[in-house]
Amino acid sequence: METAEHVRVVDTEGQLLAAAAEEAGVDAKVSTCPGWQVRDLVRHQGAVHRWAASHIAEGHTSRQPLESPDHLDGDELLAWFREGHGQLLDTLRGARPDVDCWAFLPAPSPLAFWARRQAHETTVHRVDAQSALTRVSRDEPDPITTEFGVDGIDELLTGFHARSRSKVRSDVPRVLRVRATDADVTWTVRITGEPPAAERGASAPADCEVAGPAARLYLALWNRLPFPDVTGDAALAALWRERSGI
């Protein structure tokens, strides 16, 4: 996906998140994030939007602290979120393609990294916000396209969990296959005592395969939904769910 497409996702998903948060109310529990209320989610995502924008706009070449507005609540908090979301969009759209700033995953450029990362960050947390709505008003979250689901799986497996902070480890080497059934795309994830090593394709026999439509598989790998289908050693799928939290 191109940077402009990711920015459009940030725009749409941020608006959906704000609308769900307003409808649910800041006191509502976020079922996909045990222990969180909507106010915690909005504070977190709003802080991340400003944090991302500051790296781009101010050209920070090292990681800056993430500051949460614990003093804000209710309508004031939602207004603050919307303002920061708008600032992020303005920053992404107005930045030079060759802007130099800190990024923490491989990408064609820092701007491409931040647009992609904020698209997926905002989408996953939009799903969280919609989980706080009552079943009467919302039976399921708004849909995610197949293309975006594949992009998100790729970022999660080859980016996030390639970092040393990933807790998905196994004393006995195992291989997890991830298969997006509606996109004809597979990933092979080698799980050892080191950070998981993932690559596109079926490059090794798998101990376990998790499969399903890309969008559902994307949310399942982020622990927002159950895995659509598991074959082989289900204990390996359970290990992912237990240890992959970020």
Side-chain angles (χ1 to χ4, degrees), residues 31-50:
S31 64
T32 52
C33 298
W36 268 19
Q37 293 176 296
V38 167
R39 62 169 53 84
D40 302 305
L41 175 64
V42 174
R43 285 170 180 163
H44 167 75
Q45 187 60 78
V48 169
H49 281 169
R50 282 172 164 74

Side-chain angles (χ1 to χ4, degrees), residues 87-110:
Q87 290 172 357
L88 173 61
L89 289 168
D90 289 344
T91 300
L92 289 170
R93 289 166 175 158
R96 301 189 322 274
D98 62 348
V99 63
D100 182 24
C101 63
W102 177 76
F104 61 87
L105 296 179
S109 69

Side-chain angles (χ1 to χ4, degrees), residues 115-184:
R116 186 192 200 195
R117 176 82 292 276
Q118 289 312 295
H120 291 294
E121 172 88 10
T122 308
T123 298
V124 171
H125 285 316
R126 179 269 293 174
V127 171
D128 292 333
Q130 291 183 337
S131 80
L133 297 169
T134 66
R135 293 297 96 190
V136 173
S137 61
R138 180 73 67 181
D139 292 328
E140 60 183 26
D142 281 277
I144 292 167
T145 68
T146 297
E147 180 186 23
F148 189 72
V150 168
D151 186 69
I153 295 170
D154 218 47
E155 189 210 39
L156 181 64
L157 296 181
T158 66
F160 259 94
H161 282 288
R163 299 182 299 164
S164 61
R165 65 190 299 175
S166 176
K167 297 178 182 178
V168 181
R169 310 290 177 100
S170 174
D171 293 334
V172 177
R174 313 299 303 280
V175 176
L176 176 68
R177 176 93 69 249
V178 177
R179 181 166 61 93
T181 56
D182 56 344
D184 193 28

Side-chain angles (χ1 to χ4, degrees), residues 62-110:
S62 61
R63 186 186 189 279
Q64 300 301 298
L66 181 66
E67 298 178 0
S68 180
D70 296 335
H71 62 290
L72 294 178
D73 208 352
D75 291 344
E76 186 180 10
L77 174 61
L78 292 172
W80 172 86
F81 173 85
R82 288 186 167 104
E83 179 185 40
H85 176 237
Q87 290 172 357
L88 173 61
L89 289 168
D90 289 344
T91 300
L92 289 170
R93 289 166 175 158
R96 301 189 322 274
D98 62 348
V99 63
D100 182 24
C101 63
W102 177 76
F104 61 87
L105 296 179
S109 69

Side-chain angles (χ1 to χ4, degrees), residues 221-243:
L221 288 163
W222 275 105
N223 287 330
R224 264 54 183 192
L225 292 174
F227 284 120
D229 184 55
V230 178
T231 56
D233 186 0
L236 187 53
L239 181 145
W240 180 275
R241 297 195 68 83
E242 292 165 4
R243 301 187 184 180

